[in-house]
Amino acid sequence: MKALTIGTVTLSVLVMASCGAGNSQQNAGDSSDSAEYMELFDGSSLTGWRGDTSLWRAEGGALVGEIVPGEELANNSFIIWDGGQPADFELIAEYRMTGNGNSGINYRSEELAEPLFALKGYQADIDAANTYTGQNYEERGRTILAFPGQHMRLPEVSGSVSDYAKGNIWTAGEEVESLGDRDSLRLLIKENDWNEIRIVAKGNQLEHYINGTLMSKVVDDDSANRKLEGMLGFQVHVGPPMKIEYRNIRLKNLD
């Protein structure tokens, strides 16, 4: 599959109200009523993004990733934002998934030399069945750090990642508290419709929200394996034909 790259980014800054409302858990980590956000996607082109243009396009005001029948992937592929490597930030976007696939937003990640457009790092997971949507998955790293409904602490470890990553789960994690029943949380996610995803990363604390509800939280005390800054990218995942759309993608740096 031939991969093409897209040029560098031009950012616009606007002022908008914070998204999400609800109980105290839902508002945890919420932004102020008025704050500066950067729009990461202009709604009409892939300016500022770099990825495989046979998989990604701008269409209908959305950043669209699609796997079509007969063009299945050998590896997960990302479209990568070229505007920087955020450290502490809040990222808000709307997404809609059709088909039976998997996607996600990687952050504080590093780009690998091979395969093309591959990222390693934290991911706010999204899947069509909403089994994993909102969890924290470390792509090409420690695997599942927190399932939906979990607040996890990751202690310091010695040894290799493979010593603790078993069955696609980071077994060294310690559950701090439950954020809710997984089956109940998944009912808050709309199928084949637009949902809002929000990531709040500050220091070693990582929070994932869907439609204003806190789905997972990680406190990463594992200094040998954690990342405190890095690249942003959106994923199309190995698997069945699917389409993922992202729109209204905006980023606020947190001091």
Side-chain angles (χ1 to χ4, degrees):
M1 183 181 297
K2 184 178 180 181
L4 302 178
T5 57
I6 308 301
T8 56
V9 66
T10 301
L11 298 177
S12 60
V13 178
L14 68 153
V15 177
M16 59 177 61
S18 170
C19 296
N23 60 31
S24 58
Q25 175 176 294
Q26 292 173 316
N27 287 330
D30 209 356
S31 58
S32 60
D33 290 339
S34 180
E36 287 187 347
Y37 287 84
M38 295 183 290
E39 287 281 359
L40 304 191
F41 172 59
D42 64 16
S44 60
S45 76
L46 297 184
T47 300
W49 296 83
R50 180 167 48 83
D52 185 337
T53 54
S54 71
L55 299 172
W56 292 95
R57 64 185 184 273
E59 181 178 273
L63 181 63
V64 180
E66 186 170 17
I67 301 174
V68 298
E71 298 291 339
E72 287 75 13
L73 300 182
N75 299 285
N76 298 341
S77 187
F78 289 81
I79 189 162
I80 300 166
W81 181 59
D82 264 342
Q85 299 194 26
D88 291 352
F89 66 89
E90 178 178 10
L91 178 75
I92 303 174
E94 296 171 60
Y95 75 89
R96 179 171 63 184
M97 176 174 283
T98 53
N100 297 308
N102 183 289
S103 183
I105 302 175
N106 261 54
Y107 60 97
R108 291 186 177 178
S109 295
E110 58 182 289
E111 186 175 4
L112 305 181
E114 293 290 340
L116 285 175
F117 308 121
L119 291 179
K120 174 185 176 182
Y122 301 114
Q123 182 182 122
D125 211 341
I126 297 170
D127 71 303
N130 292 322
T131 302
Y132 305 112
T133 299
Q135 75 175 9
N136 195 316
Y137 180 84
E138 190 173 75
E139 175 87 358
R140 297 180 177 269
R142 291 171 290 177
T143 67
I144 296 172
L145 306 180
F147 283 102
Q150 285 188 319
H151 173 186
M152 299 292 290
R153 175 183 172 269
L154 312 183
E156 295 272 11
V157 297
S158 59
S160 68
V161 166
S162 62
D163 292 336
Y164 301 95
K166 306 292 184 182
N168 212 33
I169 299 171
W170 186 246
T171 60
E174 303 170 349
E175 186 162 10
V176 177
E177 62 176 333
S178 171
L179 302 175
D181 176 73
R182 286 178 68 180
D183 289 335
S184 298
L185 290 173
R186 70 191 297 179
L187 295 177
L188 303 175
I189 306 169
K190 294 173 282 188
E191 296 184 8
N192 299 310
D193 202 352
W194 291 100
N195 293 277
E196 182 192 82
I197 186 167
R198 181 160 61 98
I199 301 167
V200 180
K202 191 167 179 65
N204 68 339
Q205 298 193 40
L206 313 169
E207 297 176 342
H208 298 171
Y209 297 81
I210 302 292
N211 296 329
T213 295
L214 180 61
M215 292 288 185
S216 69
K217 180 174 180 177
V218 167
V219 178
D220 197 348
D221 289 328
D222 183 5
S223 60
N225 293 303
R226 71 188 181 194
K227 295 291 185 182
L228 297 177
E229 65 179 15
M231 307 183 85
L232 291 171
F234 294 172
Q235 181 194 66
V236 286
H237 196 283
V238 171
M242 54 82 75
K243 182 167 75 170
I244 182 71
E245 301 168 84
Y246 293 97
R247 69 184 186 188
N248 297 327
I249 306 164
R250 49 211 190 273
L251 176 76
K252 180 180 72 171
N253 289 311
L254 303 176
D255 296 327

